[in-house]
Amino acid sequence: RNRCRRLIKESYRLKEENTGSGYYIVFVARSRMVGLSYEQISRDMNFLLKKSGIIKERTNAQNGSPAMD
């Protein structure tokens, strides 16, 4: 559980500058997360933050298409 918590905190820390202000966000480390890699956790967090509207999908300034992460 502590490893999962550290992975969640690091993943959010890297996304924090792209999040809007005025949100209280709670992440819960569940036992199902034990076998997941950092990349999986980060990808899932990114999906949920975009779905909830907390972060916006970056676009490529030249053609308006989504930027690759």
Side-chain angles (χ1 to χ4, degrees):
R1 194 174 63 206
N2 286 332
R3 177 184 172 274
C4 294
R5 186 174 55 106
R6 287 193 307 270
L7 293 175
I8 289 170
K9 288 175 89 170
E10 178 64 11
S11 181
Y12 180 73
R13 184 185 71 80
L14 296 173
K15 296 171 183 15
E16 190 171 17
E17 67 182 32
N18 296 328
T19 62
S21 61
Y23 293 100
Y24 291 101
I25 303 170
V26 177
F27 295 103
V28 179
R30 304 276 178 153
S31 60
R32 295 176 288 207
M33 294 179 58
V34 171
L36 297 179
S37 68
Y38 170 78
E39 290 79 19
Q40 290 170 313
I41 291 171
S42 181
R43 184 178 58 235
D44 291 345
M45 180 184 293
N46 206 34
F47 171 76
L48 292 171
L49 290 172
K50 285 179 183 177
K51 183 177 178 181
S52 65
I54 294 174
I55 62 173
K56 303 294 183 204
E57 189 170 347
R58 294 182 307 165
T59 58
N60 190 337
Q62 294 176 350
N63 61 11
S65 64
M68 300 300 285
D69 284 342

